[in-house]
Short mmCIF file of all heavy atoms in Angstrom, two decimals:
data_model
loop_
_atom_site.label_atom_id
_atom_site.label_comp_id
_atom_site.label_asym_id
_atom_site.label_seq_id
_atom_site.Cartn_x
_atom_site.Cartn_y
_atom_site.Cartn_z
N ASN I 8 8.82 9.16 -4.67
CA ASN I 8 9.74 8.58 -5.66
C ASN I 8 9.32 7.16 -5.94
O ASN I 8 9.52 6.27 -5.12
CB ASN I 8 11.17 8.62 -5.15
CG ASN I 8 11.66 10.05 -4.94
OD1 ASN I 8 11.56 10.88 -5.84
ND2 ASN I 8 12.20 10.32 -3.77
N HIS I 13 6.46 4.58 -15.79
CA HIS I 13 5.96 5.92 -15.69
C HIS I 13 4.62 6.04 -16.43
O HIS I 13 4.20 5.10 -17.11
CB HIS I 13 6.98 6.91 -16.26
CG HIS I 13 8.24 6.98 -15.48
ND1 HIS I 13 9.25 7.88 -15.76
CD2 HIS I 13 8.67 6.28 -14.41
CE1 HIS I 13 10.23 7.72 -14.91
NE2 HIS I 13 9.93 6.75 -14.08
N LEU I 23 -9.06 4.24 -20.51
CA LEU I 23 -10.17 3.80 -19.68
C LEU I 23 -10.62 4.90 -18.73
O LEU I 23 -11.81 5.09 -18.51
CB LEU I 23 -9.77 2.55 -18.88
CG LEU I 23 -10.86 1.94 -17.99
CD1 LEU I 23 -12.08 1.55 -18.80
CD2 LEU I 23 -10.32 0.75 -17.22
N PHE I 34 -24.00 10.00 -17.66
CA PHE I 34 -24.87 9.57 -16.57
C PHE I 34 -25.44 10.78 -15.83
O PHE I 34 -26.63 10.77 -15.44
CB PHE I 34 -24.09 8.68 -15.60
CG PHE I 34 -24.91 8.15 -14.45
CD1 PHE I 34 -25.93 7.25 -14.67
CD2 PHE I 34 -24.65 8.59 -13.15
CE1 PHE I 34 -26.68 6.75 -13.61
CE2 PHE I 34 -25.41 8.12 -12.10
CZ PHE I 34 -26.43 7.19 -12.32
N LEU I 37 -28.36 11.94 -17.72
CA LEU I 37 -29.49 11.03 -17.65
C LEU I 37 -30.26 11.17 -16.33
O LEU I 37 -31.47 10.94 -16.28
CB LEU I 37 -29.04 9.57 -17.82
CG LEU I 37 -28.47 9.24 -19.21
CD1 LEU I 37 -27.95 7.80 -19.22
CD2 LEU I 37 -29.51 9.46 -20.31
N LEU I 59 -13.88 18.12 -4.25
CA LEU I 59 -12.84 18.85 -4.98
C LEU I 59 -11.83 19.47 -4.03
O LEU I 59 -10.61 19.41 -4.24
CB LEU I 59 -13.47 19.93 -5.85
CG LEU I 59 -14.23 19.45 -7.09
CD1 LEU I 59 -14.97 20.61 -7.75
CD2 LEU I 59 -13.31 18.77 -8.08
N LEU I 71 3.68 17.88 1.64
CA LEU I 71 4.25 18.20 2.94
C LEU I 71 4.80 16.95 3.61
O LEU I 71 5.87 16.98 4.25
CB LEU I 71 3.17 18.83 3.83
CG LEU I 71 2.80 20.29 3.51
CD1 LEU I 71 1.54 20.69 4.28
CD2 LEU I 71 3.96 21.22 3.87
N PHE I 72 4.10 15.83 3.52
CA PHE I 72 4.50 14.59 4.17
C PHE I 72 5.88 14.12 3.68
O PHE I 72 6.69 13.62 4.46
CB PHE I 72 3.45 13.49 3.90
CG PHE I 72 3.75 12.18 4.58
CD1 PHE I 72 3.40 12.00 5.90
CD2 PHE I 72 4.38 11.16 3.87
CE1 PHE I 72 3.68 10.79 6.54
CE2 PHE I 72 4.65 9.97 4.50
CZ PHE I 72 4.31 9.77 5.84
N ALA I 112 -12.92 28.22 -19.39
CA ALA I 112 -11.57 28.04 -18.84
C ALA I 112 -11.46 26.71 -18.09
O ALA I 112 -10.42 26.03 -18.18
CB ALA I 112 -11.24 29.19 -17.89
N GLY I 113 -12.51 26.34 -17.35
CA GLY I 113 -12.46 25.10 -16.58
C GLY I 113 -12.54 23.86 -17.42
O GLY I 113 -11.69 22.96 -17.33
N ALA I 120 -5.81 18.97 -19.84
CA ALA I 120 -4.97 18.36 -18.82
C ALA I 120 -5.20 16.85 -18.75
O ALA I 120 -4.24 16.07 -18.57
CB ALA I 120 -5.25 19.00 -17.47
N ILE I 171 -10.09 37.36 -22.28
CA ILE I 171 -9.41 38.53 -21.75
C ILE I 171 -8.84 38.25 -20.37
O ILE I 171 -7.66 38.56 -20.06
CB ILE I 171 -10.37 39.74 -21.69
CG1 ILE I 171 -10.74 40.20 -23.11
CG2 ILE I 171 -9.77 40.92 -20.89
CD1 ILE I 171 -11.84 41.24 -23.16
N GLY I 177 -2.28 35.44 -17.53
CA GLY I 177 -1.01 35.04 -18.09
C GLY I 177 0.09 36.06 -17.85
O GLY I 177 1.25 35.70 -17.59
N VAL I 179 0.24 38.12 -15.28
CA VAL I 179 0.58 38.00 -13.86
C VAL I 179 1.46 36.78 -13.62
O VAL I 179 2.45 36.83 -12.90
CB VAL I 179 -0.70 37.92 -12.99
CG1 VAL I 179 -0.36 37.64 -11.53
CG2 VAL I 179 -1.51 39.20 -13.13
N LEU I 207 3.19 23.18 -31.53
CA LEU I 207 2.82 24.58 -31.78
C LEU I 207 4.04 25.49 -32.01
O LEU I 207 3.90 26.70 -31.94
CB LEU I 207 1.96 25.12 -30.62
CG LEU I 207 0.64 24.42 -30.40
CD1 LEU I 207 -0.12 25.05 -29.25
CD2 LEU I 207 -0.21 24.42 -31.67
N ALA I 239 -33.94 27.44 -32.22
CA ALA I 239 -35.08 27.53 -31.27
C ALA I 239 -36.25 28.29 -31.92
O ALA I 239 -36.05 29.20 -32.72
CB ALA I 239 -34.64 28.22 -30.00
#
Side-chain angles (χ1 to χ4, degrees):
N8 296 310
H13 294 185
L23 181 59
F34 181 67
L37 294 176
L59 288 173
L71 286 168
F72 182 83
I171 292 171
V179 174
L207 298 181

